[in-house]
Amino acid sequence: MGLVLGIESSCDETAAALVTTDRRIVAQRIASQEAEHAPYGGVVPEIAARAHAERLAPMIDAVLSESGVELRDLDAIAATAGPGLIGGVMVGLVTGKALAMASDVPLLAINHLEGHALSPRLADPDLAFPYILLLVSGGHCQILRVEGVGRYRRHATTIDDALGEAFDKTAKILGLGYPGGPAVERLAREGDSTAVPLPRPLKGSAEPHFSFAGLKSAVLRAHESGRYSAADIAASFQQAAIDCVLDRLTRALDTLEQAPALVVAGGVAANQAMRGALETLAVDREMRFVAPPLALCTDNAAMIAWAGCERLPLHAGDPLDFRARPRWPLDPEAQPVRGAGVKA
Ligand code: KG4
Ligand code: ZN
């Protein structure tokens, strides 16, 4: 059995975790920077990097000491090496490199998106490759066919905003603060999802991709019209977003080579309404539906440690001069799509 330390610092969560190759989360800590970024309505990269730099080393120390683990007991140190905010990524990666060098333990430079993509397998030992993955986070919105560790075929991505970004912008428009996704979901429960006519961008389109910029603009117009309550706008927005996702996924399932399971991962996978809609789609398609527990959906270090566990048998480790990558697509062969806001 292997034991891997995971380090995550690519956005606004500082996190460290110890995970075994037989899927046990031995210890984990996570510190959110919500309070630091809330006054700005979004993540400020410089503030994020400083906060990671202050918190990470004591956090790793705590995770190791509370589980009675020494650095030399580790089989690998897995650190997020991108994509993400470069300052934060460098803090985590450099920390991982220094610990790896000092203890002579292999470094595994992990793609944060691979952490999300494999996280459902940490919680569910029965989830085998291949699976169809909807990866929906603050920076990404993709449909992938996950064929194995390191083998990801991207079918669709967003041509403008990511889905989590659309939730965050809607929250900002409605004055719900940051981070927006959970706040929009909460308010949506009190609203009427049919009250506000909102567009479903690219619904029925022959191309596979997502678009959410038009939906966000329509939310802004609805809010400025003064005709609708914030709860009705939140509920109608969430329903429009779900309709878009269902339409694009249905298209993907019609097109892609079949797989037994439909899987959702990333921060927006924490949304209960979204999970319910995806489960119904999976049942319709006679597919298994797999969604990780909520704490594994949003950014965390257990998923990074787990990606390290998955990689452990495959290679000896990454070089200590591995470069942090602000952009790092999961599928290097995927064609770039038109649109300005695509993150990777
Ligand atoms: O995966 P994640 O923690 O960070 C990234 O890698 O981006 O995702 C964060 C995103 C944010 O945009 C947040 O608003 C969204 O996930 N999110 C949600 C919910 N919880 C988090 N969106 C909708 N409903 C939620 N319950
Ligand atoms: Zn993430």
Side-chain angles (χ1 to χ4, degrees), residues 262-283:
L262 175 64
V263 179
V264 63
V268 186
N271 186 288
Q272 295 295 341
M274 181 72 70
R275 287 164 91 103
L278 293 173
E279 179 156 27
T280 305
L281 175 64
V283 169

Side-chain angles (χ1 to χ4, degrees), residues 74-93:
L74 298 171
D75 292 283
I77 295 168
T80 296
L85 300 172
I86 189 71
V89 171
M90 283 172 70
V91 170
L93 181 59

Side-chain angles (χ1 to χ4, degrees), residues 1-337:
M1 193 201 53
L3 179 65
V4 175
L5 170 69
I7 298 172
E8 163 59 34
S9 59
S10 65
C11 190
D12 59 345
E13 322 281 353
T14 314
L18 276 173
V19 175
T20 64
T21 48
D22 64 356
R23 296 183 161 79
R24 198 161 66 83
I25 300 175
V26 178
Q28 67 168 324
R29 298 225 172 175
I30 178 156
S32 161
Q33 303 173 5
E34 273 173 32
E36 282 88 339
H37 301 295
Y40 306 94
V43 179
V44 183
E46 172 72 19
I47 294 175
R50 283 170 183 264
H52 290 305
E54 279 166 21
R55 293 172 189 173
L56 189 55
M59 184 180 275
I60 293 170
D61 194 30
V63 161
L64 292 172
S65 56
E66 97 181 35
S67 31
V69 169
E70 307 268 340
L71 282 175
R72 62 169 184 275
D73 302 331
L74 298 171
D75 292 283
I77 295 168
T80 296
L85 300 172
I86 189 71
V89 171
M90 283 172 70
V91 170
L93 181 59
V94 166
T95 304
K97 287 175 177 179
L99 295 176
M101 194 173 78
S103 59
D104 207 19
V105 165
L107 169 80
L108 295 170
I110 302 293
N111 183 320
H112 177 85
L113 298 174
E114 180 169 56
H116 280 303
L118 298 176
S119 64
R121 280 169 50 84
L122 168 56
D124 187 340
D126 296 327
L127 178 60
F129 301 118
Y131 51 87
I132 305 298
L133 174 71
L134 173 70
L135 175 45
V136 276
S137 68
H140 300 273
C141 184
Q142 305 187 349
I143 299 171
L144 300 135
R145 192 166 190 277
V146 179
E147 298 178 339
V149 178
R151 290 167 49 215
Y152 312 98
R153 270 207 291 134
R154 196 202 74 196
H155 171 73
T157 187
T158 177
I159 61 171
D160 41 55
D161 294 347
L163 185 52
E165 200 176 349
F167 270 89
D168 292 335
K169 286 177 177 171
T170 295
K172 203 166 181 176
I173 291 167
L174 299 178
L176 303 179
Y178 170 85
V184 169
E185 179 174 21
R186 243 176 281 123
L187 189 60
R189 287 197 202 107
E190 294 159 28
D192 173 0
S193 64
T194 64
V196 187
L198 292 174
R200 272 74 174 150
L202 293 185
K203 186 169 176 193
S205 159
E207 66 169 307
H209 301 300
F210 294 90
S211 168
F212 294 106
L215 178 55
K216 171 198 65 191
S217 312
V219 164
L220 180 61
R221 284 194 300 275
H223 175 68
E224 287 176 347
S225 77
R227 286 165 47 200
Y228 306 103
S229 70
D232 283 351
I233 295 176
S236 301
F237 160 77
Q238 183 171 273
Q239 190 56 52
I242 290 172
D243 288 350
C244 292
V245 166
L246 290 180
D247 178 70
R248 306 288 72 203
L249 256 182
T250 300
R251 189 194 173 285
L253 294 176
D254 287 341
T255 316
L256 282 167
E257 200 183 326
Q258 288 197 354
L262 175 64
V263 179
V264 63
V268 186
N271 186 288
Q272 295 295 341
M274 181 72 70
R275 287 164 91 103
L278 293 173
E279 179 156 27
T280 305
L281 175 64
V283 169
D284 272 0
R285 293 276 172 157
E286 294 181 359
M287 294 171 84
R288 255 190 87 206
F289 176 64
V290 179
L294 298 192
L296 272 184
C297 290
T298 45
D299 286 348
N300 65 87
M303 70 179 189
I304 303 303
W306 174 249
C309 290
E310 295 258 38
R311 286 205 162 268
L312 210 47
L314 303 179
H315 70 134
D318 289 302
L320 291 177
D321 62 354
F322 194 99
R323 273 200 181 193
R325 300 179 182 173
R327 286 171 184 243
W328 187 1
L330 264 186
D331 177 357
E333 281 166 27
Q335 296 299 310
V337 295

